Amino acid sequence: MTLKYVATTCPYCGSGCSFNLVVQDGKVVGTAPYRRSPVNEGKVCPKGTYAHEFVNSPDRLTKPLIKKDGKFVEATWDEAYDLIAQKFKSYKPDEFAALASARVSNEENYLLMKFARGVMKSRHIDHCARLCHASTVAGLAASFGSGAMTNSIPDIAESKCIFVLGSNTFEQHPLIGRKIVQAKLNGAKIIYADPRYTATARQADLYMQFVSGADVAILNGMMQEIIKNGWEDKEFIEKRTKDYEKLKEVVMKEDYNLENVSKISGIPVEQLKTAAEWFGTTKPGAILYSMGITQHTVGVDNVRSVANIQMLTGNLGKPGAGVNALRGQNNVQGACDMGALPVVFTGYQKVTDPATHKKFADAWGFPDGICEPKNGYEVTVMMDVLTDNPGELKCMYIMGENPMLSDPDLNHVRHALESLEFLVVQDIFLTETAEMADVVLPAACYAERGGTQTSTERRVQMWRKAQDPPGEAKEDWQIISELAAKMGYAKQFPYQDIEEIFNEVAALTPSYHGMNYERLERPEALHWPCPTTEHPGTPILHREKFSHPDGLGVFAPIEWKPPAEVPDAEYPFVLTTGRVLWHWHTGSMTRRSETLHSEVPTGWIEINPEDAKALGIKNKEIVRATSRRGTVNVPAKVTPDIMKGVMFMPFHFAECAANILTHNALDPIAKIPEFKACSVKVEKITEA
Ligand SMILES: Nc1nc2c(c(=O)[nH]1)N[C@H]1C(S)=C(S)[C@@H](COP(=O)(O)OP(=O)(O)OC[C@H]3O[C@@H](n4cnc5c(=O)[nH]c(N)nc54)[C@H](O)[C@@H]3O)O[C@H]1N2
Ligand SMILES: Nc1nc2c(c(=O)[nH]1)N[C@H]1C(S)=C(S)[C@@H](COP(=O)(O)OP(=O)(O)OC[C@H]3O[C@@H](n4cnc5c(=O)[nH]c(N)nc54)[C@H](O)[C@@H]3O)O[C@H]1N2
Ligand code: SF4
Ligand SMILES: [Mo]
């Protein structure tokens, strides 16, 4: 028997923890602590602990599958590539769209981006960041000139006042939660605002429960109170920002005095006062936020309000401060950095900028050119175009995403995907989306490959191969390269190994320019921006100036607006959705992990005891939840942890899918859907 440890980074959340994979006779059999990572120092959450369990699941895809007469038939790689190449060639550039993946490496996202824009010459590439932090990318870019988390994870422990808003950090970024505990042990005050009394709420010194969708009102109210008391950082505002007067005009309005904010949000005035005082007077103060802020039709407004309060209090560019937008998936930061977005190439270089377009066209050397220098469609817009403009988009290539469970309004998504002429899905399991494909390609998983991923704190870290892929499954970069070669572009995809792809990325991307595998091998890796090979990387952004050309941060006057759908007599409850500690999104991996699955085998809807009583519903009873989009039957969880009038469902479970109910009302700028607020009714199921 041979036994070895392979240090790698976690395939789940954007915290970017490291652990060892335990390999016995060439097969991954367990995990063990890797103590040298400054992020998690050997600790992991349950998903990290059991991250080996799905790897050798008997359900892994092992061969390409081609659908014939409605049934999948196993095929050789050549058969699959030939069919895909022949089909892909038959479409005009903008009839093709690609979805990249926050689950795969930087190199592979870069390659799919190059495939879409170079081989297919299509403008349409996006990925699940659209459903996640699109509001952050747009909002922080407008406020600061750069759309990423401003500080580092270890730095959170330095804070003296942490305001967590719309992030259930202890369940969704547990090892960042650990930094909150460390700060607390050093005397920091913790403020938490969330419609649910979550695991994170239990750690807070001040917990404010409120109705989903009130965030701008709460932040404006706190800012008014801070200004009224003279707690604003006058020097920071004067030297480092502009448009403060415009902000003041809005936040000082009567509408945002604490009495009015209390009416909108349901938070008692005294709590709002305390929050403003603590945050206004305790330095340094950090804000941590995630989906509770971004997944709204006012997602960008919410993000800009968070940026406003941090500029107002001078909490930027310093240790223990910052706007800490906690990015969700292991490599969602990287997929964005790699230009798997419809408006940018790598490093946020704009597609519409002629010099940038020429730079990529020249570097790639496609004899027949690349896509036009025009923005493409966002994934949410792709789905609308598919249903509303039949024939405009005809064919899609989806790598490592499962929109048939993760996108809003699943009946709409089904309709959209059914209207495609040709769909290719590349995954490690036969997901709900893969079931709908014409061709399914089997990919290697994280444990079977190298490459890099970029965590929420912009730390670029390595994956390391621990075992061979099952059956004939291949690494995503190999599949994309081989397909490109079949389509006549072997010269543009000449890679012998994944490191060559990274070097191409570094050459084309200023913020990754100084990185290479040798430097990234170190346990602490490197934070971007890292412009030269001598540069130590940048854990804290905006120290001296912001990333706008004039170096100034921009205040934005933001008015509060209610969600797109508000409760009425027919649909009287606000439904909000999210996650639980034990499961990951559409469950493709965690529901195939024995330990995680046995801990939480199915979904539920959280109902406040008063609402349950009025509806005649008992705990654990199966109830019918209905929105304007659809109906699901789901077990009730009657709990005082959820606010009266609000209900919560995790979206991991296909048998009671929350996204049947959600709707795809979008933020006008970020095109992110309003996953965090829609209206539902809930009924007792009476015997027929
Ligand atoms: N265990 C686990 N961890 C994960 C994931 C997972 O699937 N499972 N997914 C990862 C991904 S991709 C992401 S993006 C992150 C998401 O991380 P989080 O954003 O922390 O997770 P969510 O559960 O979506 O939502 C967080 C909280 O927002 C609250 N909320 C609801 N409505 C509102 C509102 O209107 N305003 C505010 N301020 N809060 C509101 C919810 O009650 C919930 O507690 O987690 C990552 N980590
Ligand atoms: N109602 C509601 N819906 C939501 C949200 C919410 O809060 N509420 N949150 C949204 C957010 S923030 C996000 S990020 C999205 C996530 O949405 P998705 O990204 O669609 O969800 P995942 O289940 O993570 O899908 C990733 C897929 O990649 C596959 N995969 C894993 N590793 C590999 C690999 O190495 N190669 C390949 N080719 N495939 C791989 C997995 O099997 C899985 O099928 O969901 C969104 N949907
Ligand atoms: S906190 Fe996130 S990165 Fe760390 S072990 Fe858990 S899922 Fe993995
Ligand atoms: Mo996400």
Side-chain angles (χ1 to χ4, degrees):
M1 186 178 89
T2 61
L3 200 65
K4 67 172 180 180
Y5 278 19
V6 178
T8 195
T9 42
C10 181
Y12 288 112
C13 92
S15 303
C17 300
S18 296
F19 51 73
N20 281 304
L21 282 171
V22 182
V23 186
Q24 188 184 328
D25 297 328
K27 286 268 175 244
V28 167
V29 295
T31 64
Y34 172 81
R35 294 198 173 78
R36 290 171 66 201
S37 163
V39 178
N40 62 312
E41 299 158 309
K43 310 275 191 292
V44 282
C45 81
K47 288 180 300 306
T49 306
Y50 302 108
H52 60 286
E53 287 189 354
F54 73 85
V55 170
N56 290 308
S57 154
D59 294 348
R60 283 289 301 274
L61 289 168
T62 55
K63 281 198 166 148
L65 304 173
I66 295 176
K67 203 176 264 166
K68 287 185 183 147
D69 303 324
K71 285 215 168 72
F72 283 120
V73 181
E74 288 185 355
T76 64
W77 278 103
D78 272 334
E79 284 163 352
Y81 287 146
D82 286 338
L83 174 63
I84 298 170
Q86 175 223 327
K87 281 285 190 182
F88 277 7
K89 277 187 193 160
S90 72
Y91 295 108
K92 296 199 194 83
D94 286 347
E95 291 174 347
F96 171 91
L99 294 185
S101 174
R103 319 310 311 281
V104 314
S105 69
N106 286 321
E107 293 80 351
E108 289 157 330
N109 278 293
Y110 169 77
L111 228 52
L112 190 68
M113 187 275 284
K114 184 171 175 179
F115 185 90
R117 292 192 170 127
V119 174
M120 300 303 296
K121 310 183 201 308
S122 167
R123 300 179 283 134
H124 308 310
I125 174 150
D126 202 11
H127 73 286
C128 71
R130 187 65 45 205
L131 312 174
C132 186
H133 271 290
S135 321
T136 301
V137 175
L140 293 189
S143 293
F144 304 152
S146 163
M149 174 165 167
T150 63
N151 286 48
S152 74
I153 293 171
D155 183 71
I156 292 168
E158 309 293 313
S159 186
K160 290 294 167 212
C161 187
I162 301 182
F163 183 13
V164 184
L165 175 69
S167 151
N168 181 6
T169 322
F170 283 79
E171 288 196 66
Q172 268 72 82
H173 293 89
L175 271 292
I176 297 182
R178 183 165 170 263
K179 297 294 164 193
I180 299 179
V181 173
Q182 288 171 352
K184 198 173 160 167
L185 293 174
N186 288 332
K189 293 191 172 85
I190 314 297
I191 307 168
Y192 182 61
D194 196 297
R196 299 160 59 223
Y197 186 75
T198 61
T200 309
R202 288 176 181 74
Q203 304 294 329
D205 299 296
L206 171 64
Y207 167 59
M208 302 190 285
Q209 190 165 46
F210 70 101
V211 189
S212 280
D215 300 83
V216 167
I218 297 167
L219 290 163
N220 279 357
M222 285 174 68
M223 285 191 268
Q224 182 178 113
E225 190 69 9
I226 287 171
I227 296 170
K228 274 185 181 161
N229 286 287
W231 295 324
E232 75 275 20
D233 186 334
K234 296 178 187 68
E235 198 189 332
F236 189 92
I237 296 167
E238 169 72 26
K239 288 201 178 127
R240 304 247 352 233
T241 70
K242 65 182 182 194
D243 294 345
Y244 178 53
E245 290 308 316
K246 290 188 193 161
L247 173 87
K248 250 170 101 174
E249 254 172 53
V250 168
V251 302
M252 298 312 283
K253 283 163 78 169
E254 278 299 297
D255 304 9
Y256 303 113
N257 68 35
L258 295 188
E259 284 71 28
N260 284 329
V261 172
S262 174
K263 278 187 206 132
I264 296 170
S265 64
I267 302 174
V269 170
E270 274 315 305
Q271 288 185 3
L272 288 164
K273 235 189 192 127
T274 309
E277 185 180 342
W278 287 5
F279 204 70
T281 60
T282 323
K283 299 288 162 66
I287 291 193
L288 272 54
Y289 78 79
S290 197
M291 295 303 99
I293 284 291
T294 60
Q295 288 174 333
H296 290 279
T297 46
V298 295
V300 175
D301 283 355
N302 285 348
V303 169
R304 296 214 69 181
S305 295
V306 170
N308 282 340
I309 196 170
Q310 288 304 64
M311 289 191 284
L312 181 75
T313 50
N315 274 315
L316 285 157
K318 300 170 185 157
V323 173
N324 297 297
L326 305 181
R327 303 294 306 248
Q329 305 228 44
N330 54 322
N331 197 30
V332 66
Q333 181 66 52
C336 292
D337 298 348
M338 293 304 112
L341 295 171
V343 298
V344 287
F345 290 104
T346 64
Y348 309 94
Q349 304 175 80
K350 291 196 168 62
V351 167
T352 50
D353 173 49
T356 300
H357 189 267
K358 184 171 184 313
K359 167 176 160 180
F360 280 85
D362 289 352
W364 289 346
F366 286 90
D368 44 356
I370 65 170
C371 68
E372 288 184 78
K374 283 187 190 161
N375 293 337
Y377 290 149
E378 298 83 1
V379 47
T380 41
V381 174
M382 290 173 196
M383 298 300 170
D384 286 344
V385 168
L386 279 168
T387 53
D388 301 353
N389 293 353
E392 194 186 326
L393 280 175
K394 293 185 175 156
C395 135
M396 257 175 122
Y397 182 3
I398 301 179
M399 165 177 78
E401 293 218 328
N402 189 10
M404 262 312 297
L405 209 49
S406 59
D407 275 17
D409 188 356
L410 292 181
N411 289 320
H412 170 70
V413 180
R414 173 172 294 282
H415 181 186
L417 295 182
E418 276 172 355
S419 65
L420 283 166
E421 286 179 11
F422 190 65
L423 173 63
V424 177
V425 173
Q426 184 166 311
D427 206 292
I428 60 175
F429 292 111
L430 194 66
T431 62
E432 291 73 11
T433 307
E435 298 268 13
M436 297 186 67
D438 296 286
V439 183
V440 177
L441 302 176
C445 80
Y446 80 105
E448 295 146 3
R449 56 139 70 92
T452 61
Q453 53 172 351
T454 306
S455 73
T456 182
E457 53 171 346
R458 296 168 283 103
R459 198 191 291 265
V460 183
Q461 308 188 101
M462 311 280 299
W463 265 332
R464 295 182 190 82
K465 181 171 172 166
Q467 69 167 40
D468 288 331
E472 295 172 23
K474 294 184 189 214
E475 296 178 40
D476 290 280
W477 68 270
Q478 290 172 319
I479 303 174
I480 302 165
S481 302
E482 287 171 7
L483 185 58
K486 277 274 183 198
M487 294 189 62
Y489 298 99
K491 201 165 158 248
Q492 286 73 27
F493 290 76
Y495 315 106
Q496 296 302 311
D497 64 36
I498 196 163
E499 186 173 359
E500 290 176 16
I501 309 170
F502 187 86
N503 293 339
E504 184 172 316
V505 170
L508 287 166
T509 313
S511 51
Y512 281 67
H513 212 58
M515 296 186 191
N516 53 49
Y517 275 18
E518 198 187 324
R519 296 193 75 195
L520 296 177
E521 271 295 336
R522 301 172 309 168
E524 64 277 20
L526 283 166
H527 297 263
W528 68 254
C530 176
T532 65
T533 44
E534 289 75 44
H535 194 283
T538 314
I540 300 181
L541 295 179
H542 317 305
R543 275 196 185 262
E544 308 294 331
K545 56 187 182 64
F546 290 98
S547 310
H548 285 304
D550 63 4
L552 298 176
V554 187
F555 280 109
I558 305 286
E559 296 275 9
W560 173 75
K561 296 186 207 86
E565 194 177 50
V566 289
D568 56 17
E570 199 182 353
Y571 298 100
F573 298 100
V574 177
L575 174 74
T576 190
T577 61
R579 318 163 145 73
V580 297
L581 173 66
W582 304 90
H583 281 290
W584 191 262
H585 298 161
T586 66
S588 66
M589 291 144 77
T590 49
R591 297 194 83 187
R592 288 187 176 86
S593 171
E594 212 185 314
T595 314
L596 301 174
H597 178 68
S598 66
E599 198 69 42
V600 177
T602 190
W604 64 84
I605 185 164
E606 286 176 15
I607 307 179
N608 180 277
E610 281 183 50
D611 291 332
K613 200 168 161 207
L615 294 165
I617 286 168
K618 287 197 276 310
N619 194 30
K620 298 196 175 165
E621 173 175 346
I622 311 268
V623 298
R624 183 185 301 121
T626 307
S627 76
R628 289 186 175 83
R629 273 76 47 196
T631 294
V632 288
N633 290 351
V634 53
K637 184 187 256 182
V638 178
T639 165
D641 290 350
I642 184 90
M643 191 169 188
K644 186 171 176 306
V646 182
M647 298 195 180
F648 169 84
M649 277 176 82
F651 76 100
H652 311 295
F653 307 95
E655 65 279 19
C656 45
N659 280 327
I660 297 267
L661 304 173
T662 54
H663 67 157
N664 65 338
L666 304 180
D667 179 287
I669 299 169
K671 310 286 186 198
I672 192 171
E674 193 144 57
F675 283 127
K676 288 292 183 267
C678 72
S679 304
V680 291
K681 65 177 169 192
V682 168
E683 298 157 300
K684 205 175 166 64
I685 301 176
T686 42
E687 299 292 321

